[in-house]
Amino acid sequence: MKIIDTNKKAYFDYFIDDTVEAGIVLSGNEVKSIKMQNVNLKDSFCKLENGELWLKNMFVAPYAKGSVFNSEERRDRKLLLHKAELSKLEGKVRQKGITLVPTKLYFKGNRVKVEIGLCRGKKLYDKRDTAREKDIKRDTERQIKESTK
């Protein structure tokens, strides 16, 4: 499994309760651009529409060697899941405060997959706690590294 991009902002802004792996419908030039890691998940989100799951606002740079038929950078892309998984996600999203956010984009074999997180929003004080814990962890690792020298 080769990870192409992770959505670090999602881990900072949300509590991720559960994750689901989904396929994604792409054109050929988009896959080539993704292989070159010209992709960004930062502001993207998932939305259920008419019984289908769509990935919105994911940036895929146009393929440099492509022709005039390159697709749009931020077009909506369909995600592929089984009907039972879709209905399960739809039931969870209807709960208050639950949203679907893509957390990772990666290759599994020769297929591009998206990991979708079932997320609850963090409050400002939760974000401060996360930043504080990250700083403490970094400081302890630095002290351990210095003490082993």
Side-chain angles (χ1 to χ4, degrees):
M1 187 171 85
K2 180 185 172 194
I3 296 176
I4 301 163
D5 191 29
T6 58
N7 191 350
K8 294 178 184 175
K9 187 176 179 185
Y11 288 101
F12 183 73
D13 289 341
Y14 300 100
F15 291 113
I16 298 173
D17 297 331
D18 193 19
T19 58
V20 177
E21 179 183 79
I24 184 168
V25 177
L26 298 169
S27 64
N29 57 14
E30 288 177 323
V31 175
K32 290 178 183 179
S33 184
I34 288 172
K35 280 185 180 180
M36 295 170 53
Q37 296 187 346
N38 294 330
V39 65
N40 192 350
L41 287 173
K42 185 177 178 184
D43 296 324
S44 59
F45 60 97
C46 298
K47 190 170 185 180
L48 283 161
E49 293 177 352
N50 300 328
E52 296 178 337
L53 188 61
W54 292 87
L55 180 60
K56 306 229 178 212
N57 209 25
M58 180 177 82
F59 176 79
V60 177
Y63 183 56
K65 297 178 183 174
S67 63
V68 294
F69 299 109
N70 276 347
S71 48
E72 295 179 35
E73 297 171 347
R74 293 195 181 269
R75 72 177 181 90
D76 297 345
R77 293 166 178 89
K78 186 176 179 180
L79 295 177
L80 306 172
L81 289 169
H82 291 285
K83 198 171 251 186
E85 291 175 323
L86 278 172
S87 62
K88 180 181 170 185
L89 287 177
E90 190 172 5
K92 289 186 178 181
V93 167
R94 289 182 187 222
Q95 294 177 6
K96 185 179 177 186
I98 303 288
T99 187
L100 297 173
V101 178
T103 55
K104 288 182 190 170
L105 185 73
Y106 56 92
F107 278 104
K108 189 173 183 183
N110 60 353
R111 308 259 188 226
V112 178
K113 301 287 183 175
V114 179
E115 183 180 85
I116 302 165
L118 280 153
C119 305
R120 290 179 292 117
K122 284 185 181 178
K123 304 285 185 205
L124 182 61
Y125 56 85
D126 292 327
K127 293 178 188 179
R128 288 182 190 144
D129 290 342
T130 303
R132 189 177 307 117
E133 289 170 5
K134 189 175 177 182
D135 289 341
I136 290 169
K137 183 178 177 184
R138 187 181 329 113
D139 290 340
T140 55
E141 287 177 359
R142 186 179 303 134
Q143 288 175 354
I144 291 170
K145 186 176 179 182
E146 289 175 358
S147 66
T148 57
K149 285 184 179 180

